Every structure is written in structure tokens, then in C-alpha cells.
Amino acid sequence: MRISELSTASGVPVATIKYYLREKLLPEGERSSPTQASYGTAHVQRLGVIRALVDAGVGIAGVRKVVGVLEEPPENPYDLLGAANAAVTPVIAGEPDLTEATALLERMGGAPEKCFPDQLAAVAHALATLERAGFTVPEPVMAAYLEHLSAIADAELAATPATSIEDAVRYVVLGTTLVEPLILALRRVAEQVAASRRFGTG
Amino acid sequence: MRISELSTASGVPVATIKYYLREKLLPEGERSSPTQASYGTAHVQRLGVIRALVDAGVGIAGVRKVVGVLEEPPENPYDLLGAANAAVTPVIAGEPDLTEATALLERMGGAPEKCFPDQLAAVAHALATLERAGFTVPEPVMAAYLEHLSAIADAELAATPATSIEDAVRYVVLGTTLVEPLILALRRVAEQVAASRRFGTG
């Protein structure tokens, strides 16, 4: 299909498609003439992934990392998942103290050497923000986070598609980033339901 | 204490404190002379809450709503929690289709009339973003979200402090907003641990 048809099929304006082509986020189409290129369903799919990441607030640098993983996927599934996850993990500036974050990782049954430093740094950063606000997560609540987030992660991992590398990366990257707003929104609804169960509805 | 001492105690610059005073996010100090006011620990605490919310990305309008809940707390605990939660829930533009979000609420044991529309709209918005990206949450994974987020909400509610209204509101507001980055960061670590358990470490 032509670029105008790709625009219609993907819902992405032609100018934006050209920007993604220049940024090498989208592979070139097949040249059908010196002034025309032809695009396929792979381009529509790639545009869907890019738009989804941009909508989820991932910057162009993060999108480029994800595209890199999609184009040169590691062979080992563990490395693949880690690379995809790391590509969309924001980098925390500075060198945070990882002691408490490491302790939480170990309580989930993990080992520091099997975890990306950026991921532990994100936990440390979140803990530091809470501390600055003088907010302590009560221990039974922290225990609930660790237990139930582990259970959620197990369910997510068990559902990773084995159909192709592209499918697996797409699932991990989108499942990690795009599902975050859903998880947070569901948590707030769950809190409302729990409050209603606990206190009645006034 | 004087405003300069309040600045030292809270770590917030004097100019910013004056801005919060003008915006009525911080109550006036007690006038000790026509040109001087005296501040107390309540001001330090309030500044801690404001900074925490601002750091968590809550805008001034959201901070104002939270301050409103803190200053005129509803009597019923359910209304109190709902108001605090709603104050920090971003408003989604437009009128999203709430059918699927309502079905998820009901699966968690809730009823639509006991849930704030903004909270359901946030779920609907997250679902729409996933759909636009062509990403479907596998049913066993969605079931895990509902089950384990309900368990997390129950643990959070059970730990709501009963010491004072201020403590309860502070806990709900900060526990809802500030804990979100921690939950997302822990989920990514949990995914890494689950991947390592499932696939080995390459």
C-alpha cells in the first residue's frame, strides 16, 4: 500500500509517518519507483506499537529501544524479557541507596544479580519519595504488595505468547507499559469497593 | 517559628512557601506583629503533604482538592476515603463507554452506584488505550489483576489509621498517589523475578 493508505489503515497522519521513517522507528517501504514506496501490514503493526508507546508516555528514546529489541531480539527468553522491560524503564538520575529495594527483591525470592539496576533504582526512588513525604507503608500492606504483585507477575509471565519473538516482545513491552494505567485505575476501583465493604456506603 | 525557620524545617524555599500561602494551600501563620507571622508543626506537616503530591505529579488543582478534604473532612469514613481518592483521580475528558469497566467492577464485588464515575472512566480509558494498540489482556491475567488488586486494597484499607481524620485522609491520599510509583516499580521487579524463575537466567 502507499503511504496515504498506510495513514488511513493506521490512523497516523502522513507527516507523522514520515517523521517516524526519518527517525528510523519505522522501516523503509519497498521502493516501487524512485518516488514511491510500498508498505505492508508489518508497518501497520509497527505503527500500532509506536502509537501505543507514545500514548503511554514513553519518549522517542524509549520507543527507539523497544524497536531495537523488536529488530534484534535476544535468543534467550529471559534476556528478551529483561531487555524489553529495561527498554521502557525510566532511568533514575543519581546513585540511589539500593539496600531497602534489594531487601524487598529478596523477599520476593529474587537475587540482585538477576535484576536490572534501573528496576531496583526505580523501587529505591519510590521509597525515597515516600520517606521524604513522611509516609510509611505499614508492614502488612508491604507484605500484601510483595505477595500479590508476585502472583500477578506469575500470571503475566505464564501468558507470554510463544508464537513468535515479535509477539513475545510486543506482549512484554505493551503488557508492562500500557497495562500500568489499567492496574492503577483498577486499584482505585478496588479501594472503593473495599471501603464500601468495610464501612458501608453512608 | 518564623517563615525562614519553617523553610529550613520543611526544606521548602521561602518564595515557594509564600506562593502556597497566596494560593491558600497553606493556612496563614499567627500574626505576632504587623510584619511577622509565626508558624507551627502543622505547617511543616502540611508542606510535607503538598511537596509529596507535587513530587507525585499532582497539579495545583489536585493539591487544592486534597487540602479541601483535609480542612473540611466528611464525617462518614466511606465518604472521606472516596473524597480523598476522587481528589487525586485525574478527570478523563469525554464520555467513555463504561460497559466493560463496570463489568470489571462487578467482578470485584462492587456496584456502579458505589463507585465514583471518574474512577470507572479511568478504567475505561485504560481499556480503550489497550484496544487502540491492539493489545488484549489475556483472561487469566485479568482475573489475576482483579483478585490480587482486591486483596491489596483490603490490606490497605485495614491499615487506615483511626487516630484522627487528618491521619486517615493523609494516609488515603498519599497511599493512593505516592504509592503508585512503588507498586509499578515492584511489579517490574516481580516480573523479572518471575521470568528468572520461569526461564532460568541464560
Side-chain angles (χ1 to χ4, degrees):
Chain A
M1 65 186 102
R2 296 175 182 193
I3 196 164
S4 58
E5 293 164 312
L6 177 61
S7 170
T8 308
S10 62
V12 178
V14 169
T16 308
I17 294 176
K18 287 186 175 168
Y19 169 68
Y20 293 151
L21 286 166
R22 282 197 307 275
E23 291 284 331
K24 309 238 181 281
L25 301 178
L26 194 65
E28 295 288 334
E30 214 173 305
R31 287 277 149 207
S32 45
S33 84
T35 57
Q36 212 152 61
S38 163
Y39 302 90
T41 50
H43 290 90
V44 179
Q45 282 182 343
R46 174 68 62 86
L47 282 172
V49 174
I50 295 173
R51 293 311 294 182
L53 288 167
V54 170
D55 282 354
V58 176
I60 290 297
V63 174
R64 179 166 291 118
K65 282 197 214 170
V66 173
V67 165
V69 176
L70 277 171
E71 294 193 340
E72 292 188 30
E75 277 183 29
N76 180 288
Y78 176 76
D79 291 337
L80 179 72
L81 299 180
N85 195 315
V88 289
T89 296
V91 177
I92 305 291
E95 297 207 4
D97 177 1
L98 300 182
T99 316
E100 204 182 339
T102 305
L104 295 176
L105 164 71
E106 285 168 349
R107 283 174 66 183
M108 287 196 282
E113 66 275 14
K114 295 183 192 167
C115 194
F116 285 77
D118 283 348
Q119 291 167 341
L120 275 186
V123 172
H125 182 72
L127 290 169
T129 302
L130 287 170
E131 198 180 323
R132 224 174 21 250
F135 185 87
T136 309
V137 176
E139 173 46 37
V141 176
M142 185 64 90
Y145 291 159
L146 299 178
E147 176 189 343
H148 296 288
L149 292 172
S150 288
I152 283 175
D154 280 335
E156 290 171 331
L157 259 285
T160 307
T163 37
S164 74
I165 283 273
E166 285 78 9
D167 288 346
V169 169
R170 192 168 176 282
Y171 174 81
V172 171
V173 163
L174 298 188
T176 298
T177 51
L178 281 192
V179 170
E180 290 187 342
L182 177 66
I183 287 181
L184 295 182
L186 284 176
R187 171 175 171 242
R188 287 175 181 221
V189 170
E191 285 172 347
Q192 208 65 36
V193 174
S196 146
R197 196 156 47 223
R198 198 171 168 85
F199 298 113
T201 51
Chain B
M1 65 188 102
R2 294 175 183 192
I3 196 164
S4 58
E5 292 162 312
L6 177 60
S7 170
T8 309
S10 63
V12 177
V14 170
T16 308
I17 294 178
K18 287 185 175 168
Y19 169 68
Y20 293 152
L21 286 167
R22 283 197 306 276
E23 292 282 332
K24 309 235 180 286
L25 300 178
L26 194 65
E28 295 288 334
E30 213 175 303
R31 286 277 149 205
S32 45
S33 83
T35 56
Q36 213 151 61
S38 164
Y39 302 89
T41 49
H43 290 91
V44 179
Q45 283 182 343
R46 174 68 62 85
L47 282 172
V49 174
I50 295 172
R51 292 312 293 182
L53 288 167
V54 169
D55 282 354
V58 177
I60 290 296
V63 174
R64 181 166 288 121
K65 281 196 216 172
V66 173
V67 166
V69 177
L70 277 171
E71 295 194 339
E72 292 189 29
E75 279 184 27
N76 180 288
Y78 176 76
D79 291 338
L80 179 71
L81 299 179
N85 195 315
V88 290
T89 295
V91 176
I92 305 289
E95 297 207 5
D97 177 1
L98 300 181
T99 316
E100 204 182 340
T102 305
L104 295 176
L105 165 71
E106 285 168 351
R107 283 175 67 183
M108 286 196 282
E113 66 275 14
K114 296 182 193 167
C115 194
F116 285 76
D118 283 348
Q119 292 168 340
L120 275 185
V123 172
H125 183 71
L127 290 169
T129 302
L130 287 169
E131 198 180 322
R132 222 171 26 246
F135 185 88
T136 307
V137 176
E139 172 46 37
V141 176
M142 184 63 90
Y145 291 159
L146 299 178
E147 176 190 342
H148 295 288
L149 292 172
S150 289
I152 283 175
D154 280 334
E156 290 171 330
L157 259 284
T160 306
T163 37
S164 73
I165 283 272
E166 284 79 8
D167 288 347
V169 168
R170 193 168 174 283
Y171 174 81
V172 171
V173 163
L174 297 188
T176 298
T177 51
L178 281 192
V179 170
E180 289 186 343
L182 177 66
I183 287 182
L184 296 182
L186 283 175
R187 171 176 172 242
R188 286 174 182 223
V189 171
E191 284 171 348
Q192 207 66 34
V193 174
S196 148
R197 196 157 45 224
R198 198 173 170 83
F199 298 112
T201 51

